[in-house]
Amino acid sequence: MAIQTSTQAQTQVGTAQRNSRRHFRPRFSTILAYVLLTLGSLVMVFPFLWMLVSSFKDIREILDLNFFPKNFTLANYREVLFNTDFPRWFLNSLIVAVATTTSVLFFCSLVGYTLTRLRFPGRQVVFILILSTLMVPTEMLVIPWFVMSSQLGWVNTFWGIAFPGLIPAFGVFLMRQFFETLPKDVFDAARVDGMNEFGLFWHIGLPLVRPALAALGIIAFIGNWNAFLWPLIISKSADMRTIPVGIALFSGEAGTAWNLIMATNALAIIPILIVFFVFQKQIIEGVVLTGTKG
Amino acid sequence: MQARADQEPLTSKKRRTGLTLATRESLWAYTFLFVPLLFFLVLRIWPAFQSFYLSLFTWHVDPAKREFLGLGYYQEMLSDPKLRRALLNTLLYTAIIVPAQLALGLGIALLLQAIGAFKSLFRAIYFAPYVTPAAAVAWVWGWMYSVNFGVINNFLIEWSIFWEERGLPWLVIDPQPFLSSPSQALVAVAVIVIWQNLGFQVVIFLAGLQGISRIFYDAAKIDGANSWNLFRYVTLPLLNPVMVFSIIISTIASLQLFDQVVNVNFTDQGGPLNSTLTIALYMYQEAFARFRLGYAAAVTVLLFFLILMVTLIQLRFFSRRVEY
């Protein structure tokens, strides 16, 4: 449903913009719209700003609740970066997110390709099997996952943290939708030239779905970067925590040292905000297409 | 998924392998699907059934020492006041978050459609919180809500002083307890969730609005419709599928609430007095703090059926087809 909506949206963005100009609304309502949107934006932005300015205050000033720090200090960041495991959590999150994203891109497109471009007995069954996993909430899986991980020695390992995100069903659907729209002549031509099925997928299929891969990849990255419940369960030692787990447990121990807590959370939030503003188009497209953040 | 009508072209290379084309294609397919199928069967489907199974036994690391309870845990759930509280809270969260997000998301999307300049900047601002880690964001909000050192109460105090000095005491708002009050904490957490996920709704509605052809609006205008009529009889009905989608997504997310609840009150998770406790958090506490994995598994089965039921009901009631 979302997929239809957004493809319609893409073709009609131009028309919609032209419409709003041709349809001359009274000036007052446009001004009102800007005023309301600006007020709303303040609410959206304020927590981030407050976090940022507070992270530059020292402990004596933090509870004064002035907006701008009187004595600007980077001591909180120094403390978090050099006296906690934060760099390690960052590295762990990076390893997990890069590994899962790579797997998501490869396997989701491979399955999407197979389900649309190849004919084989059981195709419908495989599709329904994958579809059915969407009905099961993660909460229902974490207990068996934990039991299984304990038996197999996956607790407190990168594999243990990463495995649930390796092949998300929503990614399979997204790629399947995109492969379905490709003309089959291209594939037949390459097949006549003697290319095998993997070559067709790798050299012909993948380059044609690059926009979908970009959207899926960035969504998978963010989803795995932000994941909290499962990494909280499966990581046991401080050096195996991901950023969300690390900062939560650190903040929990920091008591009322809000300056440190704000610096830690700023270090968790700012990088992902930068990623968002760089890849804004792909992220929003991916979210509209998949209806999820990973 | 439609089967391809025409046949594969035969090439000399393919004939040399000695296999029929169909067999070759199936072999390739299952080679490609081997790892993903293993993943879905072993790590997605089997664990789902395992949850049902585990919920029938008391937990012990050694499977031989697990005691069969049958539906014992399900009976226990019926008379567990803490679970009842978690269930009630979860439904309350859903009842607050879903309509609020629907109304605000649609409202902001309509406003965004009405403006020209800065449209994508505004969209980015409203969307930004959605990509940030919920665990981190909850800490920032938790401090903003702080009774004595929170910026919100600080603002309320200054606001009240400002109006009192100008002789308008009826504008005075007293500082609030927010997260430390059992009657306000749930709403305070709901506000965080709405703030964080609003951007998703905005983006979905914006895509939906842009998908409505202007032919409908032109036709209605010729018939003399004013802008309220246009909204009520053109925009809303044509947006119905998008609304169903948005409601289902935010309902499912609300039923699974966890990250924000844990982090907003880290020392008393689910508190004060279980007033913010959710099903997901209760499951987590039972499984990983009290190690009652069997009971926790039964709770997740309840959550599974809750989500399934809500999805079915909503699909049934909201997805009436609109013909125009």
Side-chain angles (χ1 to χ4, degrees):
Chain A
M1 183 183 343
I3 291 158
Q4 279 174 353
T5 323
S6 79
T7 39
Q8 278 174 1
Q10 276 159 7
T11 57
Q12 301 210 348
V13 170
T15 351
Q17 275 166 355
R18 254 176 284 124
N19 291 348
S20 63
R21 238 165 270 149
R22 214 191 311 158
H23 266 288
F24 211 14
R25 288 155 205 267
R27 242 191 156 40
F28 172 75
S29 69
T30 315
I31 293 169
L32 188 69
Y34 275 109
V35 171
L36 289 174
L37 284 170
T38 309
L39 286 176
S41 298
L42 290 179
V43 177
M44 299 315 277
V45 171
F46 183 78
F48 293 134
L49 279 182
W50 183 241
M51 169 190 77
L52 201 62
V53 293
S54 301
S55 69
F56 295 123
K57 296 172 186 170
D58 67 18
I59 186 76
R60 284 160 298 165
E61 205 192 328
I62 190 76
L63 297 181
D64 290 352
L65 303 178
N66 295 318
F67 190 76
F68 291 107
K70 275 189 222 111
N71 303 305
F72 181 91
T73 174
L74 289 172
N76 302 321
Y77 286 98
R78 252 196 311 271
E79 170 74 21
V80 175
L81 287 174
F82 297 115
N83 290 338
T84 74
D85 285 324
F86 189 89
R88 179 62 205 243
W89 303 332
F90 196 93
L91 183 71
N92 292 346
S93 280
L94 207 61
I95 292 171
V96 170
V98 168
T100 45
T101 305
T102 313
S103 159
V104 167
L105 289 178
F106 179 74
F107 283 114
C108 289
S109 45
L110 186 63
V111 178
Y113 175 86
T114 310
L115 288 176
T116 49
R117 294 282 137 196
L118 295 177
R119 268 180 311 162
F120 55 95
R123 185 163 82 161
Q124 197 69 27
V125 177
V126 171
F127 179 65
I128 289 170
L129 210 70
I130 298 175
L131 183 76
S132 68
T133 64
L134 276 178
M135 295 192 317
V136 182
T138 316
E139 285 78 3
M140 202 182 175
L141 301 172
V142 293
I143 293 169
W145 280 345
F146 182 74
V147 172
M148 182 193 272
S149 300
S150 310
Q151 286 163 351
L152 299 171
W154 295 353
V155 176
N156 215 29
T157 63
F158 281 117
W159 166 258
I161 300 170
F163 79 78
L166 291 177
I167 316 179
F170 79 85
V172 171
F173 294 121
L174 181 70
M175 296 319 295
R176 186 178 155 272
Q177 293 279 353
F178 271 84
F179 277 116
E180 214 150 47
T181 61
L182 300 183
K184 72 184 289 282
D185 314 18
V186 200
F187 292 92
D188 289 341
R191 200 175 271 134
V192 171
D193 290 344
M195 200 180 254
N196 71 28
E197 288 297 332
F198 189 78
L200 288 173
F201 161 69
W202 191 257
H203 295 292
I204 315 285
L206 277 190
L208 289 173
V209 291
R210 213 174 272 153
L213 286 177
L216 176 62
I218 191 77
I219 291 291
F221 187 91
I222 291 176
N224 283 292
W225 184 272
N226 290 344
F228 184 66
L229 174 63
W230 177 244
L232 179 69
I233 293 168
I234 198 73
S235 61
K236 289 292 159 197
S237 61
D239 63 333
M240 281 311 288
R241 287 171 192 159
T242 58
I243 285 187
V245 179
I247 58 153
L249 295 172
F250 171 80
S251 305
E253 286 160 15
T256 51
W258 290 108
N259 51 329
L260 283 182
I261 297 175
M262 288 306 119
T264 319
N265 286 295
L267 283 171
I269 288 172
I270 308 284
I272 206 87
L273 280 181
I274 293 171
V275 170
F276 167 62
F277 279 99
V278 173
F279 295 103
Q280 209 198 110
K281 194 174 149 274
Q282 285 84 354
I283 292 176
I284 293 184
E285 216 163 75
V287 163
V288 173
L289 285 172
T290 60
T292 172
K293 54 176 160 177
Chain B
M1 195 185 312
Q2 71 268 49
R4 275 174 297 161
D6 40 348
Q7 286 298 309
E8 308 293 327
L10 280 172
T11 66
S12 55
K13 189 165 180 253
K14 279 176 184 166
R15 250 183 251 117
R16 244 181 289 131
T17 61
L19 293 169
T20 67
L21 273 176
T23 319
R24 268 175 48 89
E25 207 165 328
S26 304
L27 273 176
W28 273 112
Y30 279 103
T31 311
F32 289 167
L33 288 176
F34 180 70
V35 174
L37 269 181
L38 202 66
F39 174 87
F40 280 106
L41 288 171
V42 176
L43 296 174
R44 287 276 165 186
I45 294 170
W46 188 72
F49 288 106
Q50 184 78 349
S51 253
F52 284 107
Y53 182 74
L54 286 173
S55 73
L56 305 176
F57 293 86
T58 59
W59 172 248
H60 195 283
V61 184
D62 178 6
K65 290 186 178 159
R66 290 176 199 164
E67 205 182 300
F68 182 73
L69 279 186
L71 296 176
Y73 280 138
Y74 293 90
Q75 254 167 346
E76 185 182 336
M77 284 202 299
L78 289 175
S79 56
D80 178 353
K82 205 172 169 188
L83 177 78
R84 201 174 304 152
R85 189 64 209 256
L87 182 63
L88 190 72
N89 285 345
T90 305
L91 296 177
L92 255 171
Y93 277 119
T94 311
I96 297 170
I97 292 169
V98 174
Q101 277 187 354
L102 183 74
L104 287 171
L106 181 57
I108 292 166
L110 286 168
L111 288 175
L112 282 174
Q113 264 233 321
I115 65 169
F118 302 115
K119 186 171 166 177
S120 57
L121 175 70
F122 276 121
R123 188 181 66 164
I125 289 173
Y126 283 96
F127 192 77
Y130 186 67
V131 297
T132 57
V137 156
W139 282 95
V140 178
W141 275 90
W143 185 38
M144 286 175 32
Y145 277 136
S146 159
V147 179
N148 294 316
F149 303 110
V151 69
I152 300 178
N153 271 344
N154 193 53
F155 170 79
L156 288 180
I157 291 168
E158 280 177 21
W159 164 276
S160 299
I161 291 172
F162 180 88
W163 290 112
E164 213 146 57
E165 279 170 356
R166 275 151 194 80
L168 291 166
W170 52 275
L171 277 170
V172 167
I173 307 171
D174 288 330
Q176 299 296 315
F178 299 120
L179 295 171
S180 50
S181 143
S183 58
Q184 288 184 9
L186 187 141
V187 180
V189 176
V191 168
I192 306 177
V193 180
I194 294 166
W195 172 84
Q196 182 158 27
N197 293 343
L198 186 58
F200 171 76
Q201 307 285 329
V202 171
V203 165
I204 293 286
F205 279 121
L206 211 50
L209 285 171
Q210 282 164 348
I212 299 177
S213 167
R214 55 176 265 107
I215 297 169
F216 295 112
Y217 290 104
D218 289 343
K221 260 183 239 156
I222 291 167
D223 292 342
N226 61 27
S227 40
W228 168 250
N229 292 148
L230 287 181
F231 176 72
R232 173 68 187 80
Y233 296 106
V234 180
T235 310
L236 271 190
L238 287 173
L239 223 47
N240 201 38
V242 185
M243 286 208 278
V244 177
F245 178 70
S246 131
I247 290 171
I248 290 177
I249 295 271
S250 63
T251 305
I252 292 174
S254 306
L255 292 174
Q256 294 176 277
L257 219 53
F258 180 78
D259 298 13
Q260 288 94 340
V261 185
V262 168
N263 286 286
V264 86
N265 195 349
F266 201 76
T267 44
D268 178 18
Q269 292 171 5
L273 298 173
N274 299 327
S275 62
T276 58
L277 187 72
T278 62
I279 294 184
L281 177 55
Y282 187 54
M283 176 282 290
Y284 174 79
Q285 290 174 341
E286 286 294 307
F288 301 106
R290 301 184 62 197
F291 293 101
R292 299 183 68 213
L293 272 75
Y295 187 61
V299 174
T300 65
V301 171
L302 171 76
L303 183 65
F304 168 73
F305 280 113
L306 200 64
I307 290 177
L308 191 69
M309 213 172 64
V310 168
T311 313
L312 292 179
I313 291 173
Q314 284 178 337
L315 278 175
R316 198 177 161 76
F317 278 89
F318 289 103
S319 64
R320 281 167 299 178
R321 265 218 155 330
V322 187
E323 307 273 353
Y324 277 86

